[in-house]
Amino acid sequence: MTSQVSSPAEPADGTVVEQVGEQRTPTTAEPGGEKEVRKLDRVIIRFAGDSGDGMQLTGDRFTSETASFGNDLSTLPNFPAEIRAPAGTLPGVSSFQLHFADHDILTPGDAPNVLVAMNPAALKANVADLPRGAEVIVNTDEFTKRAMQKVGYETSPLEDGSLDGFHVHPVPLTTLTVEALKGFDLSRKDAGRSKNMFALGLLSWMYHRPTEGTEKFLTAKFAKKPEIAAANIAAFRAGWNFGETTEDFAVSYEVAPASTAFPTGTYRNISGNLALSLGLVAAGQQADLPLYLGSYPITPASDILHELSKHKNFGVRTFQAEDEIAGIGAALGAAFGGSLAVTTTSGPGVALKSETIGLAVSLELPMVIVDIQRGGPSTGLPTKTEQADLLQAMYGRNGEAPVPIVAPRTPGDCFDAAIEAARIALAYRTPVFLLSDGYLANGSEPWRVPEPGELPDLRTQYAQGPNHTLDDGTEVFWPYKRDPETLARPWAIPGTPGLEHRIGGIEKQDGTGNISYDPANHDFMVRTRQAKVDGITVPDLEVDDPSGEAELLVLGWGSTYGPITAAVRRLRNSGERAAQAHLRHLNPFPANLGEVLKRYDKVVVPEMNLGQLATLIRAEYLVDARSYTQVTGLPFKAEQLATVLKETIDG
């Protein structure tokens, strides 16, 4: 969460924040033989199974009910790139991890307290991440000899003692689901597909989650197939009742709402892609401009196209082009026509769009290029996260073609970052990169819905008439006459009488916009475009350094915010001094960044790439910024970073 408010039981500096699975004082069993209820301050649950087992839906529903209950939360969906990976294999495992708590949290958690494994592959792929004492719920129906051999189990892990360090709950999920649905006109195979809802019901009982929202969701989702809706609801209720009646689950758990973790307001659970979409819609409204999206579907950016297509009532027009080049070409045409133009993609699509981005730099038209980064190069890891497009966004065009870069830090922050990218694009007449990534795009957290009055005014004046007087007194329109404050050129809408002008990729003459091959003019225009980007007004970098005496600065950008902040909290809780700063603006850098870097003897830059920000920092400020990098397709773990930072302090 972006909020740093903790509950009264958790000191503001986060004394136990990010310590996995600590239990508070358990209550005793209620009179009358009711099951024991224990209170926890946090839980990390991972649902895992085949990509066809509905683990993402199960996790999403548990998350939605947890958000409605009022817990702080953070999620990590993790799924294969294949549409239908081979069933029962390790590459085909899909998982959804949810961390929820009664206080402010920052990450999906390092290690799950609970693993729901729908088959042997899910168990084998995830068991190494479990801490000793974790609870493991396994679907015993799937632990056949053939299924276990497929993933390399020579003996059953449920019987050979390899799981003795965990609290294992063997549950025949498929059999129980089929039994619960025997009154429905469904085959055993079709009935068994609802086993994820049985598991969801069981976990909902274990952690006292609300149920009404899930039942309403299922009714709406299968509105055209009421029999299927009723079957899923029956399986969900059967799972709840199983937890209530079986002796294997003798304890249930409560995690109180995070009532003091958030400022007052209206909250909803939101993913990064949804927040980014709503931010773009809000930007269009605040700019009083039509919003135009020219896009081509690509993982993990496609959800933005899907979401924006729902908002025609806000003047949003979406165009699904035949390829990436057509998508950005249409967006640039919309910018020329007076729209707030957006194109969405991932790294491979940015490569295809690079020529048109350079054209937008030359034309000096406002456009937002949304890059939801993923593992590369080439097709790479389409469903896994990475931060490896920074240098591509910075330099990935021919010629000197500077583009501002903005990066959100959390799923909810994608909303504000989208508005900021639109502000820069409109005010400075330039394409702007918005660098999110797969972790932010698919992850979710509680988000406070802003009041309309809190949003910035983005209204921009179109050119209205002549803006230059010739020596003979004639008033004319010069399309490249610049605002002295921003160096932005006028935005002239096609069809406006008297504002006729030519645009194109060939170099323009300063002021007139006429084609020019003059060497001195080209030098001037290149330097002016660079100066325009360098002169963009961005807030100073804020530094979190409570002691004021830290020697170490941890500098990050983008989605590393949560793990870095959690790691720094751990260091401080152990008595170490560490400062933290996180960059939203990567081009231009905040004006005070150089001064901030000089304050600290050691600067560490954790990144999910091979050190791209660190390279820029070293080149720009001649600072010995130390990289700590990871390109596993997964976000950093807090404990992992804390260990590295402690070694840096001691070194």
Side-chain angles (χ1 to χ4, degrees), residues 390-391 394-395 405 541 553-557 581-607 609-628:
L390 176 56
L391 294 184
M394 192 81 175
Y395 300 120
I405 303 171
L541 180 65
L553 172 68
V554 188
L555 181 67
W557 70 279
H582 211 77
L583 289 165
R584 163 170 284 179
H585 296 89
L586 296 153
N587 191 33
F589 286 130
N592 68 330
L593 177 55
E595 181 271 326
V596 167
L597 293 170
K598 291 178 181 177
R599 290 187 219 160
Y600 299 94
D601 295 335
K602 300 174 182 178
V603 177
V604 174
V605 184
E607 298 181 78
N609 56 48
L610 295 184
Q612 297 186 16
L613 176 60
T615 296
L616 294 175
I617 293 294
R618 292 185 191 117
E620 181 73 16
Y621 300 103
L622 302 180
V623 170
D624 183 22
R626 309 181 188 183
S627 282
Y628 180 70

Side-chain angles (χ1 to χ4, degrees), residues 281-304:
V281 174
Q285 294 296 296
Q286 294 303 107
D288 196 21
L289 293 173
L291 179 68
Y292 183 94
L293 173 66
S295 183
Y296 180 75
I298 184 172
T299 303
S302 300
D303 286 343
I304 302 172

Side-chain angles (χ1 to χ4, degrees), residues 3-10 70 102-104 257-263:
S3 167
Q4 297 301 305
V5 180
S6 300
S7 67
E10 309 298 341
D102 65 0
H103 55 268
D104 173 39
S259 55
T260 61
F262 312 119

Side-chain angles (χ1 to χ4, degrees), residues 299-300 346-348 372-389 437-438 608 631-634:
T299 303
S346 189
I372 312 297
Q373 301 167 96
R374 71 190 204 189
S378 187
T379 307
L381 305 174
T383 59
K384 309 301 181 184
T385 194
E386 209 162 271
Q387 288 183 296
D389 294 350
D437 62 41
M608 291 188 293
V631 282
T632 62
L634 296 170

Side-chain angles (χ1 to χ4, degrees), residues 184-373:
F184 293 83
D185 186 20
L186 296 172
S187 67
R188 177 180 176 83
K189 181 178 180 181
D190 287 341
R193 288 173 178 165
S194 296
K195 61 182 179 292
N196 62 324
M197 288 297 105
F198 189 100
L200 178 60
L202 173 57
L203 269 292
S204 297
W205 172 84
M206 283 182 66
Y207 293 97
H208 295 231
R209 299 297 91 184
T211 61
E212 295 82 0
T214 293
E215 294 194 8
K216 289 180 181 178
F217 168 84
L218 291 170
T219 300
K221 180 177 177 64
F222 299 106
K224 296 181 180 179
K225 298 179 179 179
E227 182 81 359
I228 300 299
N232 277 283
I233 292 172
F236 176 67
R237 291 175 177 174
W240 177 282
N241 293 332
F242 178 76
E244 182 71 27
T245 57
T246 183
E247 295 182 2
D248 192 33
F249 292 90
V251 179
S252 65
Y253 305 91
E254 286 185 351
V255 181
S259 55
T260 61
F262 312 119
T264 302
T266 301
Y267 285 80
R268 60 162 295 171
N269 184 51
I270 201 165
S271 68
N273 272 351
L274 177 55
L276 198 153
S277 301
L278 297 182
L280 291 172
V281 174
Q285 294 296 296
Q286 294 303 107
D288 196 21
L289 293 173
L291 179 68
Y292 183 94
L293 173 66
S295 183
Y296 180 75
I298 184 172
T299 303
S302 300
D303 286 343
I304 302 172
L305 172 60
H306 300 159
E307 180 62 30
L308 289 181
S309 68
K310 303 174 184 176
H311 297 289
K312 296 180 179 65
N313 56 317
F314 287 111
V316 179
R317 179 173 293 179
T318 54
F319 170 54
Q320 180 175 320
E322 65 267 29
D323 56 39
E324 297 280 6
I325 299 172
I328 191 172
L332 185 56
F336 179 57
S339 295
L340 173 55
V342 182
T343 190
T344 53
T345 190
S346 189
V350 173
L352 294 168
K353 296 178 189 288
S354 62
E355 182 181 5
T356 307
I357 297 171
L359 177 59
V361 171
S362 177
L363 301 184
E364 300 189 47
L365 287 171
M367 180 167 60
V368 177
I369 304 130
V370 178
D371 177 6
I372 312 297
Q373 301 167 96

Side-chain angles (χ1 to χ4, degrees), residues 33 35 81 94 113-114 132 189 226-227 231 266 297 341 370-371 441 458 461 516 563 609 643:
K35 293 187 177 183
S94 174
N113 309 115
V114 182
R132 188 173 182 84
K189 181 178 180 181
E227 182 81 359
T266 301
V370 178
D371 177 6
L458 302 181
Q461 188 71 36
S516 173
N609 56 48
T643 300

